[in-house]
Amino acid sequence: MSMKPLEHDRRYGELDQVMRAYLGQPADDTNEQRSRALDAYLRHTWHTRPWAIAEAERQLREYSRNPPGRLRIGLGEFYAVPDTGMPQSAVGDWLLVLADHLKRSIEEGEVPPPSTPQTHWEWHARFPETAQLLGGWFSQDIVDEFPGHEAAVADYAATTDPQLTARLVGELHELLALPLDEADYALAAAELGMEVAPPEPFSYGAWFQSVATGLARG
């Protein structure tokens, strides 16, 4: 039988967060240099859950030293590290490299400087409710579901808890405060799941502002 959610989180919950940061990114960490993915994980986690970094370091080290054996694999009671493109025999050593970087970040204060999100994972980790709106209401199916963008936003507001709507407004203001140009806003929209262009005559940035203002007014 597979692991229960509580057991999974106790053993591998933060390890899984680190591994998710590598989806679509090269696992090219060395003893001297962190990867772009690990920088993204550290940058976001230091800002939101700094205590979790020590737990990630512990889980990475424990998994590397005690990988699942045949019995646990047969029972399904293990965490499967996603394919990183490296030989399976090298994964354990790589996890130890990550653990060493996390330990150094904690002990020596090696924290990536603030920046705009640099990976797909970081965009979603930093702007989760924006991703919920853009990915859930602004896919290519919008033309079949709503008469236009305004109706889609209205449906989001009508079916979403007001506290989450308020969180979305805050995220949009944070997004607009970043030093982004219009091409960057288009990239942000795509990373966060938007599959259609903003309505005429809005640019992406202007539409984000319009949505934030409209939702804040209720």
Side-chain angles (χ1 to χ4, degrees):
M1 59 185 295
S2 59
M3 283 185 294
K4 301 294 185 182
L6 182 59
E7 182 182 7
H8 171 275
D9 287 351
R10 283 174 172 170
R11 289 186 182 182
Y12 311 119
E14 202 57 33
L15 163 65
D16 183 56
Q17 288 298 309
V18 177
M19 293 298 99
R20 288 175 183 272
Y22 280 86
L23 295 176
Q25 296 292 318
D28 54 359
D29 308 84
T30 66
N31 289 324
E32 296 76 27
Q33 186 70 37
R34 293 189 301 254
S35 65
R36 178 172 171 156
L38 192 59
D39 266 355
Y41 169 82
L42 280 170
R43 181 167 42 247
H44 181 72
T45 309
W46 266 116
H47 180 69
T48 57
R49 303 179 303 122
W51 53 266
I53 298 171
E55 180 62 16
E57 187 266 346
R58 183 192 68 78
Q59 291 183 10
L60 284 162
R61 211 174 289 282
E62 180 65 21
Y63 191 97
S64 175
R65 291 170 175 167
N66 298 286
R70 291 182 179 178
L71 177 61
R72 284 167 59 194
I73 291 175
L75 294 174
E77 297 181 349
F78 75 105
Y79 175 81
V81 174
D83 185 7
T84 60
M86 66 177 65
Q88 190 64 31
S89 59
V91 169
D93 290 340
W94 173 63
L95 295 179
L96 283 179
V97 169
L98 302 190
D100 288 343
H101 277 303
L102 297 184
K103 181 179 179 182
R104 191 175 307 125
S105 180
I106 296 169
E107 294 182 342
E108 302 179 13
E110 290 188 4
V111 182
S115 77
T116 59
Q118 298 297 303
T119 68
H120 181 76
W121 175 87
E122 192 176 6
W123 278 110
H124 281 253
R126 187 165 174 179
F127 300 106
E129 196 59 30
T130 307
Q132 180 70 15
L133 169 68
L134 298 184
W137 275 262
F138 291 94
S139 69
Q140 294 179 359
D141 295 332
I142 183 177
V143 295
D144 299 322
E145 298 178 14
F146 305 104
H149 291 64
E150 186 174 345
V153 174
D155 184 76
Y156 166 86
T159 58
T160 302
D161 188 282
Q163 295 183 61
L164 295 178
T165 302
R167 183 178 301 171
L168 168 65
V169 172
E171 287 183 10
L172 288 173
H173 283 304
E174 181 180 351
L175 177 62
L176 291 164
L178 295 174
L180 304 178
D181 59 24
E182 186 55 28
D184 295 325
Y185 285 129
L187 172 63
E191 290 283 8
L192 293 169
M194 189 172 185
E195 297 180 344
V196 295
E200 295 290 345
F202 291 100
S203 65
Y204 283 95
W207 184 67
F208 288 152
Q209 182 64 69
S210 175
V211 171
T213 301
L215 290 174
R217 289 174 178 169

